[in-house]
């Protein structure tokens, strides 16, 4: 029991530790990050326009992509995301919702699969002009299909509190 607890603590500390120094990413890792940033830009624009098609048209994602904000009971399908966005669910009463920083912590490439761990920072502004910040940890899965990196899914968890 003590050995498994020690291993668990070591794994958690490794995952929680910030990367040492500046990361050097290879060409394939940079390709994945570029595709990821493109999707994040498209999501930001889609939320503000309340038009899911903006994201769907600009993000290279699998037709079966799923996302899970860990405060939700289960991952969302694209159909659920589209329905929620059309009702303004992802704006949370905000007039602006921008990602301001995306810091990759680890990018594992295995053939045509990529596992991406990132720390992200979002800036939000409500209807009263109050600006707030949200930090979360994300894990995304990508696959190279016909030469293009496509998003298969991901999850995000807030750091230090909820949405």
């Amino acid at each position: 029991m003590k050995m498994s607890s020690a291993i668990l603590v070591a794994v958690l500390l490794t995952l929680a530790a910030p990367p040492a120094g500046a990361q050097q990413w290879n060409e394939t890792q940079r390709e994945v990050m570029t595709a990821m940033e493109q999707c994040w830009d498209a999501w930001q624009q889609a939320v503000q326009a309340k038009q899911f098609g903006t994201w769907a048209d600009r993000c290279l994602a699998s037709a079966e992509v799923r996302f899970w904000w860990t405060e939700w009971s289960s991952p969302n399908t694209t159909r659920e995301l589209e329905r929620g966005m059309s009702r303004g669910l992802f704006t949370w009463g905000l007039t602006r919702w921008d990602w301001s920083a995306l810091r990759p912590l680890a990018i594992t490439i295995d053939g045509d699969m990529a596992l991406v761990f990132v720390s992200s920072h979002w800036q939000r502004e409500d209807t009263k002009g109050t600006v707030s910040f949200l930090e979360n940890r994300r894990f995304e899965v990508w696959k190279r299909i016909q030469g293009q990196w496509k998003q298969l899914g991901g999850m995000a968890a807030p750091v230090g509190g909820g949405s």
Side-chain angles (χ1 to χ4, degrees), residues 37-48:
E37 289 173 356
Q38 179 179 335
C39 285
W40 282 40
D41 286 342
W43 179 258
Q44 169 182 306
Q45 294 161 2
V47 167
Q48 290 171 348

Side-chain angles (χ1 to χ4, degrees), residues 65-145:
V65 68
R66 289 183 178 259
F67 293 99
W68 185 23
W69 180 253
T70 57
E71 293 181 328
W72 298 341
S73 61
S74 64
N76 289 99
T77 64
T78 52
R79 184 173 297 128
E80 292 164 333
L81 291 171
E82 182 174 14
R83 188 171 46 241
M85 189 174 289
S86 69
R87 294 185 303 209
L89 294 182
F90 301 113
T91 59
W92 294 287
L94 302 170
T95 57
R96 193 170 50 104
W97 197 72
D98 303 323
W99 69 276
S100 57
L102 175 64
R103 185 172 58 109
L105 303 172
I107 304 170
T108 302
I109 307 290
D110 187 359
D112 288 334
M113 296 294 296
L115 306 177
V116 184
F117 299 85
V118 298
S119 173
S120 64
H121 299 264
W122 298 82
Q123 182 175 329
R124 310 176 299 181
E125 185 175 339
D126 66 19
T127 54
K128 296 176 185 173
T130 303
V131 175
S132 62
F133 298 91
L134 171 68
E135 179 181 3
N136 64 49
R137 301 287 188 261
R138 295 183 62 97
F139 169 70
E140 293 191 9
V141 179
W142 291 75
K143 183 175 183 178
R144 188 171 23 215
I145 300 171

Side-chain angles (χ1 to χ4, degrees), residues 4-19:
S4 62
S5 295
I7 292 171
L8 177 61
V9 168
V11 168
L12 291 175
L13 287 174
T14 301
L15 291 175

Side-chain angles (χ1 to χ4, degrees), residues 32-63:
V32 173
M33 284 306 301
T34 298
M36 188 177 198
E37 289 173 356
Q38 179 179 335
C39 285
W40 282 40
D41 286 342
W43 179 258
Q44 169 182 306
Q45 294 161 2
V47 167
Q48 290 171 348
K50 297 180 185 171
Q51 295 291 324
F52 183 77
T54 301
W55 178 82
D57 293 343
R58 296 179 186 162
C59 178
L60 296 174
S62 160

